[in-house]
Amino acid sequence: VEISRNNKDRKVWKILILGEVSVGKTSLIKRYVHNFFSQHYRPTIGVDFALKQLVWEDESVIMLQLWDIAGQERFESMNRVYYKGAVGSFILTDAANPDSFKSAVRWKKDFDAKVNMEDGQPAPSILLVNKCDLEKVGMASDVVQLHSFAQENGFLTWCYVSAKENIGIDDAAKTLIRKILARI
Ligand code: GTP
Ligand code: MG
């Protein structure tokens, strides 16, 4: 599928799904695209792809080309190809793993350093605090802290999500889509 950044009629957008190992990137995509969840952890090797097609409010068709980047990729030097043509990202943390927030900051910096939209501004990123079905630990349990963390690190916004319980994912995607539509 050809990736279009500025053709309003063919909305095929490349979105990166980033974050620490095991925060639930693959699970989130599987839930969003196939409405499926598994407890079984199988690490992503390199990168995977999924296509989510949806009919938008103006009845146009939007296709999200979701790039599921392995969490362990950051420790190698991330391939530039992964970033090329991206128009947005979801950066995930794990509500039960405080370390995943430090990692999210690094992913966000990396994304902003390598992706710019045509207006020269960074592409929008949303912080997704996944596994909100679990007991929240540290910052993940503190909405005020989450707000300032998201703001300080330049996220468009943040949301609690759960791939397991299917919480918040559709709304988060709509928020990102709305922002991208306003920008292209
Ligand atoms: P890498 O590919 O290694 O970077 O990991 P990943 O971010 O793709 O994580 P993955 O989706 O493979 O999920 C890791 C583990 O977390 C799996 O055992 C999932 O079942 C579990 N998991 C994912 N999302 C949720 C969630 O919302 N709630 C709970 N309780 N567990 C989840
Ligand atoms: Mg994965």
PDB file of all heavy atoms in Angstrom, residues 42-71:
ATOM      1  N   ARG A  42       4.734 -13.317  23.153  1.00  0.00           N
ATOM      2  CA  ARG A  42       5.698 -13.690  22.118  1.00  0.00           C
ATOM      3  C   ARG A  42       6.349 -12.401  21.627  1.00  0.00           C
ATOM      4  O   ARG A  42       5.690 -11.583  20.968  1.00  0.00           O
ATOM      5  CB  ARG A  42       4.976 -14.399  20.965  1.00  0.00           C
ATOM      6  CG  ARG A  42       5.902 -15.172  20.052  1.00  0.00           C
ATOM      7  CD  ARG A  42       5.136 -16.218  19.235  1.00  0.00           C
ATOM      8  NE  ARG A  42       4.101 -15.629  18.414  1.00  0.00           N
ATOM      9  CZ  ARG A  42       4.254 -15.304  17.133  1.00  0.00           C
ATOM     10  NH1 ARG A  42       5.394 -15.545  16.511  1.00  0.00           N
ATOM     11  NH2 ARG A  42       3.273 -14.750  16.458  1.00  0.00           N
ATOM     12  N   PRO A  43       7.632 -12.165  21.984  1.00  0.00           N
ATOM     13  CA  PRO A  43       8.286 -10.905  21.620  1.00  0.00           C
ATOM     14  C   PRO A  43       8.274 -10.685  20.100  1.00  0.00           C
ATOM     15  O   PRO A  43       8.444 -11.630  19.341  1.00  0.00           O
ATOM     16  CB  PRO A  43       9.726 -11.090  22.110  1.00  0.00           C
ATOM     17  CG  PRO A  43       9.687 -12.202  23.093  1.00  0.00           C
ATOM     18  CD  PRO A  43       8.524 -13.070  22.724  1.00  0.00           C
ATOM     19  N   THR A  44       8.069  -9.455  19.720  1.00  0.00           N
ATOM     20  CA  THR A  44       8.171  -9.095  18.302  1.00  0.00           C
ATOM     21  C   THR A  44       9.645  -9.041  17.935  1.00  0.00           C
ATOM     22  O   THR A  44      10.462  -8.511  18.682  1.00  0.00           O
ATOM     23  CB  THR A  44       7.513  -7.718  18.061  1.00  0.00           C
ATOM     24  OG1 THR A  44       6.167  -7.781  18.520  1.00  0.00           O
ATOM     25  CG2 THR A  44       7.543  -7.341  16.582  1.00  0.00           C
ATOM     26  N   ILE A  45       9.961  -9.590  16.790  1.00  0.00           N
ATOM     27  CA  ILE A  45      11.326  -9.531  16.275  1.00  0.00           C
ATOM     28  C   ILE A  45      11.341  -8.522  15.134  1.00  0.00           C
ATOM     29  O   ILE A  45      10.624  -8.697  14.151  1.00  0.00           O
ATOM     30  CB  ILE A  45      11.793 -10.908  15.743  1.00  0.00           C
ATOM     31  CG1 ILE A  45      11.567 -12.024  16.767  1.00  0.00           C
ATOM     32  CG2 ILE A  45      13.248 -10.836  15.275  1.00  0.00           C
ATOM     33  CD1 ILE A  45      12.337 -11.871  18.059  1.00  0.00           C
ATOM     34  N   GLY A  46      12.121  -7.450  15.297  1.00  0.00           N
ATOM     35  CA  GLY A  46      12.193  -6.446  14.225  1.00  0.00           C
ATOM     36  C   GLY A  46      10.928  -5.615  14.159  1.00  0.00           C
ATOM     37  O   GLY A  46      10.698  -4.760  14.994  1.00  0.00           O
ATOM     38  N   VAL A  47      10.122  -5.874  13.150  1.00  0.00           N
ATOM     39  CA  VAL A  47       8.904  -5.071  12.966  1.00  0.00           C
ATOM     40  C   VAL A  47       7.806  -5.933  12.349  1.00  0.00           C
ATOM     41  O   VAL A  47       8.085  -6.858  11.597  1.00  0.00           O
ATOM     42  CB  VAL A  47       9.215  -3.831  12.085  1.00  0.00           C
ATOM     43  CG1 VAL A  47       9.678  -4.238  10.699  1.00  0.00           C
ATOM     44  CG2 VAL A  47       8.011  -2.901  11.974  1.00  0.00           C
ATOM     45  N   ASP A  48       6.569  -5.634  12.749  1.00  0.00           N
ATOM     46  CA  ASP A  48       5.385  -6.274  12.159  1.00  0.00           C
ATOM     47  C   ASP A  48       4.467  -5.171  11.635  1.00  0.00           C
ATOM     48  O   ASP A  48       4.581  -4.034  12.055  1.00  0.00           O
ATOM     49  CB  ASP A  48       4.618  -7.068  13.222  1.00  0.00           C
ATOM     50  CG  ASP A  48       4.998  -8.535  13.211  1.00  0.00           C
ATOM     51  OD1 ASP A  48       5.358  -9.037  12.122  1.00  0.00           O
ATOM     52  OD2 ASP A  48       4.934  -9.165  14.284  1.00  0.00           O
ATOM     53  N   PHE A  49       3.535  -5.558  10.794  1.00  0.00           N
ATOM     54  CA  PHE A  49       2.614  -4.573  10.224  1.00  0.00           C
ATOM     55  C   PHE A  49       1.192  -5.032  10.362  1.00  0.00           C
ATOM     56  O   PHE A  49       0.902  -6.218  10.318  1.00  0.00           O
ATOM     57  CB  PHE A  49       2.898  -4.373   8.729  1.00  0.00           C
ATOM     58  CG  PHE A  49       4.306  -4.023   8.442  1.00  0.00           C
ATOM     59  CD1 PHE A  49       5.231  -5.005   8.125  1.00  0.00           C
ATOM     60  CD2 PHE A  49       4.720  -2.700   8.510  1.00  0.00           C
ATOM     61  CE1 PHE A  49       6.552  -4.683   7.877  1.00  0.00           C
ATOM     62  CE2 PHE A  49       6.039  -2.374   8.263  1.00  0.00           C
ATOM     63  CZ  PHE A  49       6.955  -3.373   7.946  1.00  0.00           C
ATOM     64  N   ALA A  50       0.299  -4.059  10.514  1.00  0.00           N
ATOM     65  CA  ALA A  50      -1.120  -4.374  10.459  1.00  0.00           C
ATOM     66  C   ALA A  50      -1.829  -3.180   9.826  1.00  0.00           C
ATOM     67  O   ALA A  50      -1.375  -2.034   9.954  1.00  0.00           O
ATOM     68  CB  ALA A  50      -1.666  -4.627  11.857  1.00  0.00           C
ATOM     69  N   LEU A  51      -2.915  -3.462   9.139  1.00  0.00           N
ATOM     70  CA  LEU A  51      -3.678  -2.407   8.489  1.00  0.00           C
ATOM     71  C   LEU A  51      -5.060  -2.319   9.120  1.00  0.00           C
ATOM     72  O   LEU A  51      -5.784  -3.311   9.180  1.00  0.00           O
ATOM     73  CB  LEU A  51      -3.794  -2.733   6.997  1.00  0.00           C
ATOM     74  CG  LEU A  51      -4.157  -1.580   6.066  1.00  0.00           C
ATOM     75  CD1 LEU A  51      -3.116  -0.478   6.103  1.00  0.00           C
ATOM     76  CD2 LEU A  51      -4.317  -2.113   4.641  1.00  0.00           C
ATOM     77  N   LYS A  52      -5.397  -1.156   9.623  1.00  0.00           N
ATOM     78  CA  LYS A  52      -6.720  -0.926  10.198  1.00  0.00           C
ATOM     79  C   LYS A  52      -7.473   0.021   9.272  1.00  0.00           C
ATOM     80  O   LYS A  52      -7.038   1.139   9.027  1.00  0.00           O
ATOM     81  CB  LYS A  52      -6.586  -0.304  11.588  1.00  0.00           C
ATOM     82  CG  LYS A  52      -7.882   0.206  12.186  1.00  0.00           C
ATOM     83  CD  LYS A  52      -8.775  -0.902  12.689  1.00  0.00           C
ATOM     84  CE  LYS A  52     -10.024  -0.331  13.375  1.00  0.00           C
ATOM     85  NZ  LYS A  52     -10.887  -1.397  13.908  1.00  0.00           N
ATOM     86  N   GLN A  53      -8.595  -0.472   8.770  1.00  0.00           N
ATOM     87  CA  GLN A  53      -9.411   0.376   7.895  1.00  0.00           C
ATOM     88  C   GLN A  53     -10.630   0.844   8.666  1.00  0.00           C
ATOM     89  O   GLN A  53     -11.287   0.043   9.336  1.00  0.00           O
ATOM     90  CB  GLN A  53      -9.833  -0.431   6.674  1.00  0.00           C
ATOM     91  CG  GLN A  53     -10.636   0.377   5.677  1.00  0.00           C
ATOM     92  CD  GLN A  53     -10.812  -0.371   4.368  1.00  0.00           C
ATOM     93  OE1 GLN A  53      -9.873  -0.929   3.835  1.00  0.00           O
ATOM     94  NE2 GLN A  53     -12.033  -0.378   3.853  1.00  0.00           N
ATOM     95  N   LEU A  54     -10.921   2.132   8.592  1.00  0.00           N
ATOM     96  CA  LEU A  54     -12.129   2.601   9.254  1.00  0.00           C
ATOM     97  C   LEU A  54     -12.817   3.681   8.449  1.00  0.00           C
ATOM     98  O   LEU A  54     -12.189   4.387   7.666  1.00  0.00           O
ATOM     99  CB  LEU A  54     -11.842   3.067  10.688  1.00  0.00           C
ATOM    100  CG  LEU A  54     -10.778   4.100  10.911  1.00  0.00           C
ATOM    101  CD1 LEU A  54     -11.382   5.379  11.419  1.00  0.00           C
ATOM    102  CD2 LEU A  54      -9.764   3.576  11.905  1.00  0.00           C
ATOM    103  N   VAL A  55     -14.119   3.751   8.625  1.00  0.00           N
ATOM    104  CA  VAL A  55     -14.903   4.783   7.946  1.00  0.00           C
ATOM    105  C   VAL A  55     -15.029   5.959   8.899  1.00  0.00           C
ATOM    106  O   VAL A  55     -15.528   5.817  10.012  1.00  0.00           O
ATOM    107  CB  VAL A  55     -16.291   4.249   7.542  1.00  0.00           C
ATOM    108  CG1 VAL A  55     -17.097   5.349   6.851  1.00  0.00           C
ATOM    109  CG2 VAL A  55     -16.147   3.032   6.632  1.00  0.00           C
ATOM    110  N   TRP A  56     -14.540   7.095   8.446  1.00  0.00           N
ATOM    111  CA  TRP A  56     -14.507   8.285   9.288  1.00  0.00           C
ATOM    112  C   TRP A  56     -15.863   8.971   9.296  1.00  0.00           C
ATOM    113  O   TRP A  56     -16.794   8.575   8.577  1.00  0.00           O
ATOM    114  CB  TRP A  56     -13.376   9.212   8.810  1.00  0.00           C
ATOM    115  CG  TRP A  56     -13.091  10.336   9.749  1.00  0.00           C
ATOM    116  CD1 TRP A  56     -13.209  11.678   9.506  1.00  0.00           C
ATOM    117  CD2 TRP A  56     -12.651  10.208  11.106  1.00  0.00           C
ATOM    118  NE1 TRP A  56     -12.853  12.388  10.620  1.00  0.00           N
ATOM    119  CE2 TRP A  56     -12.520  11.517  11.616  1.00  0.00           C
ATOM    120  CE3 TRP A  56     -12.358   9.121  11.939  1.00  0.00           C
ATOM    121  CZ2 TRP A  56     -12.114  11.764  12.943  1.00  0.00           C
ATOM    122  CZ3 TRP A  56     -11.958   9.375  13.242  1.00  0.00           C
ATOM    123  CH2 TRP A  56     -11.837  10.684  13.728  1.00  0.00           C
ATOM    124  N   GLU A  57     -15.978  10.003  10.134  1.00  0.00           N
ATOM    125  CA  GLU A  57     -17.258  10.700  10.326  1.00  0.00           C
ATOM    126  C   GLU A  57     -17.782  11.324   9.039  1.00  0.00           C
ATOM    127  O   GLU A  57     -18.993  11.427   8.847  1.00  0.00           O
ATOM    128  CB  GLU A  57     -17.081  11.783  11.401  1.00  0.00           C
ATOM    129  CG  GLU A  57     -16.825  11.165  12.775  1.00  0.00           C
ATOM    130  CD  GLU A  57     -16.005  12.045  13.714  1.00  0.00           C
ATOM    131  OE1 GLU A  57     -15.554  13.135  13.290  1.00  0.00           O
ATOM    132  OE2 GLU A  57     -15.792  11.617  14.872  1.00  0.00           O
ATOM    133  N   ASP A  58     -16.874  11.735   8.139  1.00  0.00           N
ATOM    134  CA  ASP A  58     -17.315  12.316   6.859  1.00  0.00           C
ATOM    135  C   ASP A  58     -17.478  11.228   5.791  1.00  0.00           C
ATOM    136  O   ASP A  58     -17.579  11.528   4.617  1.00  0.00           O
ATOM    137  CB  ASP A  58     -16.308  13.373   6.389  1.00  0.00           C
ATOM    138  CG  ASP A  58     -14.927  12.760   6.139  1.00  0.00           C
ATOM    139  OD1 ASP A  58     -14.762  11.526   6.312  1.00  0.00           O
ATOM    140  OD2 ASP A  58     -14.005  13.508   5.772  1.00  0.00           O
ATOM    141  N   GLU A  59     -17.479   9.987   6.228  1.00  0.00           N
ATOM    142  CA  GLU A  59     -17.663   8.801   5.381  1.00  0.00           C
ATOM    143  C   GLU A  59     -16.491   8.493   4.469  1.00  0.00           C
ATOM    144  O   GLU A  59     -16.573   7.600   3.631  1.00  0.00           O
ATOM    145  CB  GLU A  59     -18.977   8.895   4.587  1.00  0.00           C
ATOM    146  CG  GLU A  59     -20.161   8.880   5.549  1.00  0.00           C
ATOM    147  CD  GLU A  59     -21.519   8.815   4.874  1.00  0.00           C
ATOM    148  OE1 GLU A  59     -21.601   9.012   3.648  1.00  0.00           O
ATOM    149  OE2 GLU A  59     -22.492   8.557   5.591  1.00  0.00           O
ATOM    150  N   SER A  60     -15.401   9.223   4.621  1.00  0.00           N
ATOM    151  CA  SER A  60     -14.200   8.847   3.888  1.00  0.00           C
ATOM    152  C   SER A  60     -13.571   7.632   4.573  1.00  0.00           C
ATOM    153  O   SER A  60     -13.823   7.362   5.750  1.00  0.00           O
ATOM    154  CB  SER A  60     -13.201  10.009   3.856  1.00  0.00           C
ATOM    155  OG  SER A  60     -12.767  10.290   5.169  1.00  0.00           O
ATOM    156  N   VAL A  61     -12.778   6.888   3.804  1.00  0.00           N
ATOM    157  CA  VAL A  61     -12.124   5.703   4.343  1.00  0.00           C
ATOM    158  C   VAL A  61     -10.712   6.071   4.773  1.00  0.00           C
ATOM    159  O   VAL A  61      -9.970   6.701   4.025  1.00  0.00           O
ATOM    160  CB  VAL A  61     -12.084   4.572   3.297  1.00  0.00           C
ATOM    161  CG1 VAL A  61     -11.250   3.393   3.799  1.00  0.00           C
ATOM    162  CG2 VAL A  61     -13.502   4.121   2.965  1.00  0.00           C
ATOM    163  N   ILE A  62     -10.385   5.706   5.989  1.00  0.00           N
ATOM    164  CA  ILE A  62      -9.039   5.957   6.505  1.00  0.00           C
ATOM    165  C   ILE A  62      -8.366   4.612   6.739  1.00  0.00           C
ATOM    166  O   ILE A  62      -8.972   3.692   7.292  1.00  0.00           O
ATOM    167  CB  ILE A  62      -9.083   6.752   7.822  1.00  0.00           C
ATOM    168  CG1 ILE A  62      -9.635   8.156   7.565  1.00  0.00           C
ATOM    169  CG2 ILE A  62      -7.707   6.821   8.480  1.00  0.00           C
ATOM    170  CD1 ILE A  62      -9.762   9.013   8.807  1.00  0.00           C
ATOM    171  N   MET A  63      -7.134   4.503   6.270  1.00  0.00           N
ATOM    172  CA  MET A  63      -6.373   3.283   6.552  1.00  0.00           C
ATOM    173  C   MET A  63      -5.155   3.641   7.380  1.00  0.00           C
ATOM    174  O   MET A  63      -4.350   4.491   6.997  1.00  0.00           O
ATOM    175  CB  MET A  63      -5.980   2.606   5.253  1.00  0.00           C
ATOM    176  CG  MET A  63      -7.164   1.884   4.633  1.00  0.00           C
ATOM    177  SD  MET A  63      -6.661   0.739   3.384  1.00  0.00           S
ATOM    178  CE  MET A  63      -6.618   1.845   2.005  1.00  0.00           C
ATOM    179  N   LEU A  64      -5.057   2.987   8.512  1.00  0.00           N
ATOM    180  CA  LEU A  64      -3.895   3.185   9.372  1.00  0.00           C
ATOM    181  C   LEU A  64      -2.951   2.018   9.152  1.00  0.00           C
ATOM    182  O   LEU A  64      -3.311   0.859   9.376  1.00  0.00           O
ATOM    183  CB  LEU A  64      -4.317   3.238  10.842  1.00  0.00           C
ATOM    184  CG  LEU A  64      -5.319   4.326  11.220  1.00  0.00           C
ATOM    185  CD1 LEU A  64      -5.631   4.252  12.712  1.00  0.00           C
ATOM    186  CD2 LEU A  64      -4.822   5.714  10.845  1.00  0.00           C
ATOM    187  N   GLN A  65      -1.766   2.343   8.676  1.00  0.00           N
ATOM    188  CA  GLN A  65      -0.747   1.313   8.537  1.00  0.00           C
ATOM    189  C   GLN A  65       0.064   1.330   9.831  1.00  0.00           C
ATOM    190  O   GLN A  65       0.848   2.245  10.073  1.00  0.00           O
ATOM    191  CB  GLN A  65       0.130   1.637   7.331  1.00  0.00           C
ATOM    192  CG  GLN A  65       1.028   0.494   6.939  1.00  0.00           C
ATOM    193  CD  GLN A  65       1.962   0.900   5.832  1.00  0.00           C
ATOM    194  OE1 GLN A  65       2.761   1.832   5.993  1.00  0.00           O
ATOM    195  NE2 GLN A  65       1.863   0.235   4.702  1.00  0.00           N
ATOM    196  N   LEU A  66      -0.180   0.339  10.667  1.00  0.00           N
ATOM    197  CA  LEU A  66       0.387   0.316  12.013  1.00  0.00           C
ATOM    198  C   LEU A  66       1.698  -0.452  12.004  1.00  0.00           C
ATOM    199  O   LEU A  66       1.734  -1.622  11.622  1.00  0.00           O
ATOM    200  CB  LEU A  66      -0.622  -0.324  12.973  1.00  0.00           C
ATOM    201  CG  LEU A  66      -1.997   0.353  12.991  1.00  0.00           C
ATOM    202  CD1 LEU A  66      -3.015  -0.498  13.736  1.00  0.00           C
ATOM    203  CD2 LEU A  66      -1.903   1.747  13.602  1.00  0.00           C
ATOM    204  N   TRP A  67       2.757   0.217  12.406  1.00  0.00           N
ATOM    205  CA  TRP A  67       4.089  -0.395  12.455  1.00  0.00           C
ATOM    206  C   TRP A  67       4.381  -0.779  13.898  1.00  0.00           C
ATOM    207  O   TRP A  67       4.547   0.077  14.758  1.00  0.00           O
ATOM    208  CB  TRP A  67       5.149   0.592  11.939  1.00  0.00           C
ATOM    209  CG  TRP A  67       5.136   0.761  10.458  1.00  0.00           C
ATOM    210  CD1 TRP A  67       4.065   1.086   9.672  1.00  0.00           C
ATOM    211  CD2 TRP A  67       6.255   0.622   9.576  1.00  0.00           C
ATOM    212  NE1 TRP A  67       4.458   1.157   8.360  1.00  0.00           N
ATOM    213  CE2 TRP A  67       5.787   0.889   8.273  1.00  0.00           C
ATOM    214  CE3 TRP A  67       7.610   0.317   9.770  1.00  0.00           C
ATOM    215  CZ2 TRP A  67       6.629   0.842   7.167  1.00  0.00           C
ATOM    216  CZ3 TRP A  67       8.450   0.282   8.667  1.00  0.00           C
ATOM    217  CH2 TRP A  67       7.960   0.528   7.377  1.00  0.00           C
ATOM    218  N   ASP A  68       4.416  -2.068  14.101  1.00  0.00           N
ATOM    219  CA  ASP A  68       4.613  -2.648  15.437  1.00  0.00           C
ATOM    220  C   ASP A  68       6.104  -2.925  15.627  1.00  0.00           C
ATOM    221  O   ASP A  68       6.623  -3.940  15.198  1.00  0.00           O
ATOM    222  CB  ASP A  68       3.784  -3.937  15.517  1.00  0.00           C
ATOM    223  CG  ASP A  68       3.935  -4.657  16.849  1.00  0.00           C
ATOM    224  OD1 ASP A  68       4.532  -4.088  17.775  1.00  0.00           O
ATOM    225  OD2 ASP A  68       3.426  -5.799  16.932  1.00  0.00           O
ATOM    226  N   ILE A  69       6.775  -1.977  16.272  1.00  0.00           N
ATOM    227  CA  ILE A  69       8.237  -2.051  16.406  1.00  0.00           C
ATOM    228  C   ILE A  69       8.593  -2.853  17.662  1.00  0.00           C
ATOM    229  O   ILE A  69       8.059  -2.582  18.734  1.00  0.00           O
ATOM    230  CB  ILE A  69       8.841  -0.637  16.526  1.00  0.00           C
ATOM    231  CG1 ILE A  69       8.278   0.317  15.463  1.00  0.00           C
ATOM    232  CG2 ILE A  69      10.361  -0.694  16.513  1.00  0.00           C
ATOM    233  CD1 ILE A  69       8.748   0.127  14.079  1.00  0.00           C
ATOM    234  N   ALA A  70       9.513  -3.777  17.535  1.00  0.00           N
ATOM    235  CA  ALA A  70       9.947  -4.554  18.699  1.00  0.00           C
ATOM    236  C   ALA A  70      10.539  -3.635  19.754  1.00  0.00           C
ATOM    237  O   ALA A  70      11.350  -2.764  19.444  1.00  0.00           O
ATOM    238  CB  ALA A  70      10.984  -5.593  18.279  1.00  0.00           C
ATOM    239  N   GLY A  71      10.149  -3.823  21.021  1.00  0.00           N
ATOM    240  CA  GLY A  71      10.681  -3.016  22.104  1.00  0.00           C
ATOM    241  C   GLY A  71      12.192  -3.114  22.201  1.00  0.00           C
ATOM    242  O   GLY A  71      12.860  -2.153  22.563  1.00  0.00           O
TER     243      GLY A  71
END
